[in-house]
């Protein structure tokens, strides 16, 4: 039986203090409702940053009251993103949550070299997925931020994901580095990167996990497929983390699992000073709350 991964996240967040969260340009009913649901669950304390008129219209459409919820008026979405980042820099909020603005607009403010939330790490996104056909939670990275990551980018992307799983209680997660094939082919960059990442783990440049690759998707998640190809690996057939070669492959994989395999997903951006909750208009209430739970768990990790 598959583990109810989203409920597991919500359960793990129980007892943690609510996380002050800047909800950036909360001008659509789904984002607004999601932030209020998360507040009622004790996951966040929302600070709504949006033009007053648009926020009021969204509240009317969602049929919700904003009484008792802090609201900061701004003229437009760009100003909302800038103010949210400023609040994070000042320590007034411990997370950001995307509303009805483009991801690029929000991340531009987050990644500003002068006023943003950069750290020494490359910023990356992780999907935490509950897949009915898989017996445990599955984490996919990066399917939302890095378009064509370099080898050094991938080192940070995989370390971000490993650190997330440590915060969730996975002591030594198994990382499958995906490619189209499971052998190193000089004509296929993904296979070369996979081999290099495994050696980087051997040399302590990536820590806290077991890495193997290149592995094709079937070998990463199916022990039967791995055995049929004679692959002996501590990761094959039981991966916790799937590191994809580039954004398009990861985005298609995550959406195929959601729409064809009935998977449910939460998502978080890592590597900045504070976690960033990236929500989609297609996310349901539980996915939005689980994403907030991820941010809450990360913000309260030792």
């Amino acid at each position: 039986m598959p583990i109810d991964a989203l409920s597991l996240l919500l359960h793990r967040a129980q007892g943690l203090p609510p996380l002050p969260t800047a909800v950036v340009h909360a001008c659509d009913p789904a984002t607004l409702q999601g932030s209020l649901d998360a507040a009622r669950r004790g996951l966040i304390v929302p600070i709504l940053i949006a033009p007053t008129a648009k926020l009021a219209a969204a509240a009317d459409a969602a049929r919700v009251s904003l009484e008792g919820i802090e609201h900061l008026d701004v003229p437009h979405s760009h100003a909302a993103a800038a103010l949210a980042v400023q609040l994070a820099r000042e320590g007034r909020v411990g997370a950001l949550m995307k509303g009805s603005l483009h991801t690029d607009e929000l991340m531009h403010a987050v990644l500003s070299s002068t006023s943003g939330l950069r750290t020494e790490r490359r910023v990356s996104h992780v999907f935490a997925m509950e897949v009915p056909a898989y017996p445990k939670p599955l984490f996919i990275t990066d399917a939302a931020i890095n378009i064509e990551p370099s080898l050094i980018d991938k080192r940070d992307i995989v370390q971000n994901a490993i650190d997330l799983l440590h915060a969730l209680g996975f002591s030594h997660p198994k990382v499958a580095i995906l490619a189209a094939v499971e052998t190193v082919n000089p004509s296929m960059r993904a296979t070369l990167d996979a081999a290099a990442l495994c050696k980087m783990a051997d040399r302590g440049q990536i820590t806290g996990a077991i890495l193997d690759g290149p592995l094709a998707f079937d070998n990463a998640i199916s022990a039967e497929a791995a055995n049929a190809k004679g692959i002996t690996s501590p990761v094959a057939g039981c991966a916790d983390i799937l590191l994809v070669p580039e954004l398009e492959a990861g985005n298609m994989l995550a959406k195929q699992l959601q729409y064809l395999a009935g998977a449910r997903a939460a998502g978080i951006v890592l590597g900045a000073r504070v976690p960033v909750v990236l929500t989609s208009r297609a996310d349901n209430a539980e996915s939005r709350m689980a994403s907030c739970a991820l941010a809450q768990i990360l913000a309260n990790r030792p």
Side-chain angles (χ1 to χ4, degrees), residues 38-213:
R40 280 191 289 271
R41 187 73 180 250
L43 299 169
I44 68 171
V45 177
I47 299 176
L48 307 178
I49 305 176
T52 298
K54 289 186 176 181
L55 180 62
D60 286 344
R63 297 181 180 180
V64 297
S65 169
L66 299 182
E67 185 177 356
I69 305 297
E70 184 175 359
H71 164 228
L72 301 178
D73 184 32
V74 291
H76 43 63
S77 58
H78 181 74
L83 180 55
V85 167
Q86 179 183 330
L87 295 181
R89 287 175 64 91
E90 294 172 353
R92 287 187 57 192
V93 299
L96 308 184
M97 181 176 179
K98 175 181 172 287
S100 56
L101 76 169
H102 290 297
T103 297
D104 288 350
E105 186 175 10
L106 175 58
M107 295 310 300
H108 178 77
V110 170
L111 297 175
S112 169
S113 59
T114 56
S115 59
L117 301 171
R118 285 179 178 270
T119 68
E120 72 282 359
R121 284 275 185 89
R122 183 81 177 183
V123 167
S124 60
H125 180 272
V126 176
F127 274 121
M129 306 202 77
E130 173 194 316
V131 185
Y134 201 62
K136 59 181 178 176
L138 189 62
F139 297 82
I140 297 175
T141 191
D142 177 351
I145 300 294
N146 293 283
I147 297 173
E148 292 185 355
S150 68
L151 174 63
I152 299 304
D153 294 337
K154 290 179 181 179
R155 178 195 63 187
D156 282 356
I157 290 168
V158 73
Q159 191 68 63
N160 284 343
I162 293 166
D163 292 349
L164 170 64
L165 266 70
H166 287 176
L168 296 176
F170 293 75
S171 61
H172 223 60
K174 298 176 180 180
V175 181
I177 307 165
L178 296 186
V181 296
E182 60 280 346
T183 54
V184 175
N185 183 334
S187 299
M188 302 175 73
R189 183 191 145 201
T191 69
L192 296 174
D193 284 354
L197 289 165
C198 290
K199 184 51 66 179
M200 292 168 84
D202 290 342
R203 297 290 186 263
Q205 293 172 272
I206 300 168
T207 60
I210 303 168
L211 276 66
D212 196 14

